[in-house]
Every structure is written in C-alpha cells, then in structure tokens.
Amino acid sequence: MRVKIISELTTTVNHYQLEIGPRTYYYKEHLNESGKVIDEELMDEEGTVHTNEGLLRHIHEAVDRQISQR
C-alpha cells in the first residue's frame, strides 16, 4: 500500500494555569510554525470547557501582555 503525505502542520502547545478572581482555570493555546494562535481552549477546575469568544480573546490578550513583560 502506498502512503503519500498530503500536508503537514507542526504546532507548539502552551499550557497556562490562570487565576481569575477566586477560581483557577487552565488555558491552552496551539501555535503554528509562525507563532500564530490557531486554536485555544479554556477549562475550569471542574473540567468544563468555556467557548465564549469574547472571554477567550480577553484571556489571550492578557496572557500576551504578561508574556511580553517578562
């Protein structure tokens, strides 16, 4: 049987533990080869995945600000 690679995508996954108010959340972002976020996930301590785009954008921007200040 012949196998042919059609495409390849290499990603980097960054994992963050965040404190938002009194709660802890887990944020994961997948970056492509250029460092652009191509997927992200936010989960709370109970394992509930949060998909609110506004919330994800806010968290992404807050993480970027803190990383750039290091």
Side-chain angles (χ1 to χ4, degrees), residues 9-11 30-32 36-40:
L9 174 64
T10 302
T11 63
H30 298 261
L31 311 173
N32 65 11
K36 179 182 177 193
V37 175
I38 56 174
D39 192 25
E40 57 193 347

Side-chain angles (χ1 to χ4, degrees), residues 3-52:
V3 176
K4 180 179 178 183
I5 297 172
I6 297 173
S7 68
E8 177 181 356
L9 174 64
T10 302
T11 63
T12 300
V13 181
N14 294 329
H15 299 262
Y16 301 95
Q17 183 175 353
L18 307 174
E19 181 181 273
I20 303 173
R23 301 193 60 192
T24 300
Y25 291 85
Y26 303 93
Y27 176 68
K28 180 173 28 174
E29 57 184 17
H30 298 261
L31 311 173
N32 65 11
E33 299 94 341
S34 304
K36 179 182 177 193
V37 175
I38 56 174
D39 192 25
E40 57 193 347
E41 179 180 279
L42 179 67
M43 187 181 312
D44 62 25
E45 294 174 299
E46 290 80 36
T48 302
V49 175
H50 299 269
T51 58
N52 179 295

